[in-house]
């Protein structure tokens, strides 16, 4: 869309742009024109194109020209990350201050003090920057209708990162509510380049007949991205990238400011400590992840903004949108797992449209070289692998229904019509919606007799209301869709002789999972917040620690969240590399050597087939398969294969899986059995395993119970937090497991069991992806019987018996085991 002439910037805005040597870009003027026409829009643009300014420019212009009366919220900005909301607020304050614009900008996140959040409900700022969870809380407030009735615009930043998750479902329901409360509301969505912008645009507005305008920005400098090569051989397993730390440190020394991205908080702690041990130059290097105390995170962000840091080791907390102009290099440690994700991270360097972003991918093992190579090709082609949008989750809808009852009484008919205007719920049938209402009102058929599950009641006027203030308070304390393990604070302090803390303790460093803290004994050392800490004991809500000198093999907090699966898009490209030796010229010599060895000793996995190897080792029979469909799908496949092998009397003993394949082992020789029954291997991988075998497994699976547990917590059936206390992980587990067993026996069609099964298809079990794989390889399974382990199988065999620890000791043990297995795979004498 070309900017309308009437959308030209007011004089003082033009002067501000000119004072910085800038001029407004075409897409920024286009959104200004659309705003004046009262239209909603989706802006799709690469990193550094000025998306955020484009989204706010119409609001700033309108507020600059308007007359202020009673405090009214004009613009609501929603970010997927707290750090991004804080960063955007800081960036907006500069033009506001320099142009003397008469409006207030504030943030509201989980870190905002409660007294400030209360004041914002009474006297809201003109522009409020917040998160999906805080929006849900505000909409559930009794004053929500008055607060949002005058809202003119909602800006959804990094929309592509929100919509394909339960947070996106919650946000879509919140948007539908906002459009009901504010008739003149328009929505601006800001997104990186995506595969299907039309589907993303539908998310923005409640009326499919008036879709948002899509404004697309093309061009920009091509990123300068390469793989970090090292003279040292990479291991076949592991995620520490320990051998590459000296090279990463050299890159930090050679650049102004470097962001070092990792995929998990555990990796972040290890990488930070490894770099700090190499830091003979005393460079200012910081650590940033979601479990650190908010004060420490804010200090790091402020230091980055001031240009005081040379590097920050970080997780996805800084993935999106954060604009630090001094960053001139991004290093991604470990395989990126997705092309779109790495493009997002790369964009943090040289955060402008006309300058190339510079980045290095650092594979942690030899298989990750293939992933990195596939990601580099995808970046070169500007290919995208953004996930498909899923139907709205029913547990999220249940949470929303309770929130609406907390705000004000509602009629089921009206709320159903409003729900249909949320894009993920557009196809929701009335019967299912009524089941959700009944669930929130009674807990469902099997739980009706228990008053604690009755959270809303219907009055004589037909309207639904929250049962009492206690239920409303519980809702506010448990809102949100991110379910993590119970956390305990890490606090500086010591335990006294009587077993109680000496004094009140020192400052809080952050939080670790409760189950991790329970594995520690006094005197244990572990890495956290970039320091080696000594554990002294647990109090009711904190692990008391003191600073220690570096110990031997300190433990590292093992966080449950943050593990990304290998995307289907990259998996297909990895299989393509394996199947096409002519493409190996682009791969490092150490990987080519491994693949050549595999080709000599066995076969190479194909693009569309499934290679299955069988061999005997140490008196055990092994089956190794290479689907390349990600750890979650492989774990489910391993579970189902062991059931089938048990039924075939092959006496399976266990299985392991990683992102690339899986190994199952047992007592009877599978290769010999397959020789006598040529259809055995095909039968093991037949698609019907997703029928009765899957159903039987789900009946008893702890993974399915865990999926149900997450749904029960999100839907509010089981609370994580109570006023003045918090449930332990054990308490939550016991509560949900009991409810799961009751529902499975007496109410198998319960709404939460349906929600859990839907989650299992794409979540912890990844059944949908497994089904596609089984369909793809039907009739294309290649079985290779071997007399020993193959070179490719070594990486999967090394998963057997691995402890979840990091450190040089663990790396050395793995290296020794790898060397032994590789000698065996090559047929060398092991005596």
């Amino acid at each position: 869309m070309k900017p309308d002439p009437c959308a030209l910037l007011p004089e003082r805005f033009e002067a501000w742009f000119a004072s910085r040597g800038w001029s407004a870009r075409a897409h920024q003027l286009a959104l200004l024109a659309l705003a004046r026409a009262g239209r909603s829009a989706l802006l799709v643009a690469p990193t550094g194109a000025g998306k955020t300014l484009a989204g706010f420019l119409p609001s700033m212009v309108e507020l600059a020209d308007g007359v202020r009366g009673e405090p009214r919220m004009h613009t609501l900005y929603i970010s997927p990350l707290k750090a991004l909301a804080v960063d955007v607020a800081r960036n907006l304050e500069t033009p506001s201050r320099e142009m003397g614009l008469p409006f207030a900008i504030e943030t509201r996140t989980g870190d905002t003090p409660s007294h400030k959040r209360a004041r914002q409900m009474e006297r809201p700022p003109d522009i409020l920057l917040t998160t999906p969870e805080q929006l849900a809380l505000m909409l559930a407030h009794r004053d929500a209708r008055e607060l949002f009735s005058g809202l003119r615009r909602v800006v959804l930043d990094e929309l592509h990162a929100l919509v394909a998750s339960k947070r996106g479902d919650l946000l879509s329901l919140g948007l539908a509510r906002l459009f009901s409360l504010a008739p003149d509301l328009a929505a601006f969505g800001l997104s990186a380049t995506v595969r299907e912008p039309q589907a993303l645009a539908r998310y923005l507005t409640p009326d499919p007949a008036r879709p948002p305008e899509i404004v697309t920005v093309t061009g920009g400098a091509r990123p300068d991205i390469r793989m970090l090569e090292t003279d040292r051989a990479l291991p076949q397993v592991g995620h520490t990238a320990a051998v590459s730390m000296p090279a990463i440190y050299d890159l930090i020394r050679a650049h102004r400011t470097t962001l070092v991205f990792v995929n998990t908080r555990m990796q972040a702690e290890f990488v930070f400590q490894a770099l700090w041990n190499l830091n003979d130059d005393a460079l200012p290097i910081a650590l940033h992840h979601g479990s650190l105390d908010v004060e420490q995170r804010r200090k790091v962000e402020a230091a980055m903004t001031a240009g005081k840091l040379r590097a920050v080791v970080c997780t996805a907390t800084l993935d999106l949108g954060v604009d630090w102009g001094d960053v001139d290099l991004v290093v991604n440690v470990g395989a990126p797992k997705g092309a779109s994700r790495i493009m997002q991270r790369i964009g943090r360097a040289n955060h402008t449209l006309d300058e190339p972003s510079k980045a290095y991918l650092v594979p942690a093992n030899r298989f990750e070289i293939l992933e990195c190579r596939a990601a580099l090709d995808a970046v070169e082609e500007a290919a995208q692998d953004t996930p498909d949008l899923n139907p709205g989750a029913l547990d999220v809808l249940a949470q929303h229904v309770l929130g609406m009852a907390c705000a004000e009484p509602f009629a089921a008919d009206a709320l159903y019509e409003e729900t249909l205007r949320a894009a993920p719920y557009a196809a929701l049938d009335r019967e299912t919606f009524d089941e959700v209402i009944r669930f929130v009102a009674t807990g469902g058929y099997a739980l009706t007799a228990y008053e604690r599950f009755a959270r809303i009641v219907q009055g004589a006027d037909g309207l639904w209301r929250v049962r009492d203030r206690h239920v409303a308070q519980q809702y506010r304390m448990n809102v949100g869709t991110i379910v993590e393990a119970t956390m305990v604070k890490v606090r500086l302090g010591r335990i006294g002789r009587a077993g109680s803390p000496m004094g009140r303790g020192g400052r809080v460093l952050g939080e670790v999972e409760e189950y991790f803290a329970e594995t520690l004994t006094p005197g244990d050392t572990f890495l956290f917040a970039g320091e080696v800490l000594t554990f002294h004991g647990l109090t009711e809500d904190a692990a008391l620690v003191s600073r220690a000198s570096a110990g031997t093999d300190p433990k590292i907090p093992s966080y449950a969240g943050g593990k990304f699966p290998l995307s289907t898009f990259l998996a297909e490209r990895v299989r393509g590399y394996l199947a096409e030796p002519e493409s190996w010229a682009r791969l490092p010599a150490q990987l080519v050597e491994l693949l050549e060895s595999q080709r000599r000793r066995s076969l190479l996995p194909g693009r569309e087939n499934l290679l299955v190897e069988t061999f005997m080792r140490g008196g055990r029979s092994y089956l190794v398969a290479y689907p390349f469909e990600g750890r979650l799908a492989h774990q489910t496949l391993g579970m189902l294969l062991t059931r089938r092998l048990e039924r075939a009397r092959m006496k399976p003993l266990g299985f392991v899986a990683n992102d690339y394949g899986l190994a199952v082992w047992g007592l009877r020789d599978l290769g010999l059995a397959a020789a006598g029954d040529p259809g055995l291997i095909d039968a093991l991988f037949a698609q019907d395993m997703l029928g009765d075998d899957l159903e039987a497994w789900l009946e008893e699976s702890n993974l399915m119970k865990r999926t149900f547990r997450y749904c029960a917590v999100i839907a509010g059936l089981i609370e994580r937090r109570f006023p003045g206390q918090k449930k332990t992980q054990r308490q939550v587990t016991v509560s949900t497991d009991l409810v799961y067993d009751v529902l499975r026996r007496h109410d198998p069609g319960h709404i939460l069991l349906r929600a859990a099964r839907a989650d299992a298809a794409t979540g912890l079990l990844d059944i949908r992806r497994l089904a596609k794989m089984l369909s793809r390889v039907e009739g294309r399974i290649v079985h290779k019987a071997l007399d020993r382990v193959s070179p490719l199988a070594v990486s999967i065999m090394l998963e057997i018996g691995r402890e979840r620890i990091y450190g040089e000791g663990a790396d050395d043990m793995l290296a020794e085991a790898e060397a032994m297995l590789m000698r065996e795979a090559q047929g060398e004498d092991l005596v």
Side-chain angles (χ1 to χ4, degrees), residues 59-388:
S59 299
M60 295 168 73
V61 169
E62 291 169 13
L63 286 166
D65 294 339
V67 177
R68 290 172 58 84
E70 293 183 7
R72 284 279 185 181
M73 191 187 306
H74 178 282
T75 296
L76 182 68
Y77 165 92
I78 300 172
S79 156
L81 298 177
K82 292 184 286 188
L84 179 56
V86 172
D87 180 66
V88 169
R90 184 169 51 238
N91 290 339
L92 285 178
E93 286 169 358
T94 299
S96 172
R97 181 181 64 255
E98 293 179 353
M99 286 188 279
L101 302 178
F103 52 78
I105 304 167
E106 293 182 7
T107 60
R108 180 189 176 103
T109 71
D111 297 333
T112 304
S114 57
H115 67 86
K116 184 175 181 180
R117 294 201 298 266
R119 194 266 302 155
Q120 288 170 340
M121 295 298 298
E122 297 176 4
R123 300 187 303 281
D126 300 288
I127 298 176
L128 182 65
L129 298 91
T130 190
T131 61
E133 292 75 20
Q134 288 298 317
L135 172 61
L137 281 171
M138 289 188 288
L139 287 171
H141 196 278
R142 62 182 179 274
D143 296 328
R145 184 172 294 277
E146 180 180 354
L147 176 69
F148 292 114
S149 61
L151 189 67
R152 298 293 304 276
R153 187 163 297 108
V154 59
V155 179
L156 307 175
D157 206 353
E158 306 291 356
L159 184 60
H160 60 286
L162 277 171
V163 296
S165 68
K166 289 191 176 185
R167 291 184 84 202
D169 294 344
L170 185 65
L171 178 57
S172 74
L173 293 165
L175 274 178
R177 184 64 169 170
L178 284 176
F179 275 100
S180 295
L181 298 178
D184 297 328
L185 181 65
F188 281 175
L190 312 178
S191 172
T193 306
V194 290
R195 204 159 30 94
E196 298 179 359
Q198 291 78 13
L200 195 59
R202 167 65 187 91
Y203 190 94
L204 283 174
T205 56
D207 185 3
R210 295 192 67 222
E213 186 82 22
I214 298 177
V215 179
T216 303
V217 180
T218 58
R222 299 182 71 85
D224 175 10
I225 175 172
R226 59 194 74 181
M227 197 185 321
L228 181 66
E229 297 191 12
T230 174
D231 295 334
R232 299 179 62 182
L234 294 180
Q236 285 214 50
V237 296
H239 301 284
T240 65
V243 300
S244 298
M245 290 301 140
I248 294 173
Y249 181 70
D250 289 341
L251 288 173
I252 293 172
R253 292 178 61 194
H255 290 80
R256 189 169 58 245
T257 307
T258 302
L259 287 181
V260 182
F261 279 108
V262 296
N263 288 335
T264 69
R265 287 169 282 182
M266 181 165 56
Q267 285 175 309
E269 293 284 352
F270 176 86
V271 170
F272 176 80
Q273 190 68 22
L275 291 174
W276 196 254
N277 290 339
L278 294 169
N279 193 9
D280 294 336
D281 302 289
L283 301 178
I285 301 174
L287 176 66
H288 191 289
H289 61 67
S291 286
L292 296 178
D293 182 63
V294 59
E295 182 180 344
Q296 181 164 341
R297 295 201 307 270
R298 293 294 174 264
K299 285 181 178 178
V300 172
E301 293 159 17
M304 280 291 287
T305 302
K308 295 179 179 179
L309 296 178
R310 292 291 296 276
V312 177
V313 179
C314 54
T315 60
T317 52
L318 299 183
D319 258 8
L320 303 171
V322 178
D323 181 9
W324 287 314
D326 282 342
V327 174
D328 57 345
L329 179 68
V330 164
V331 174
N332 194 90
V333 178
K337 302 301 177 187
S340 297
R341 179 178 294 111
I342 195 59
M343 283 297 295
Q344 190 74 48
R345 288 182 169 181
I346 291 168
R348 301 309 104 213
N350 293 331
H351 196 75
T352 58
L353 186 63
D354 303 320
E355 291 187 38
S357 298
K358 185 177 180 181
Y360 280 88
L361 303 186
V362 184
N365 57 59
R366 266 179 266 183
F367 267 102
E368 287 192 350
I369 293 175
L370 284 170
E371 274 193 70
C372 289
R373 183 69 261 170
L376 288 172
D377 290 348
V379 171
E380 179 71 21
E381 300 165 18
Q384 298 293 322
D385 60 356
T386 43
D388 297 327

Side-chain angles (χ1 to χ4, degrees), residues 457-484:
V457 295
Q458 191 173 27
D461 56 2
L463 300 181
W464 290 96
R465 295 169 169 82
V466 67
R467 190 186 71 196
D468 53 40
R469 293 176 59 188
H470 177 67
V471 172
Q473 187 176 19
Q474 286 184 332
Y475 167 83
R476 288 193 292 271
M477 295 186 68
N478 291 278
V479 72
T481 63
I482 300 173
V483 181
E484 290 189 330

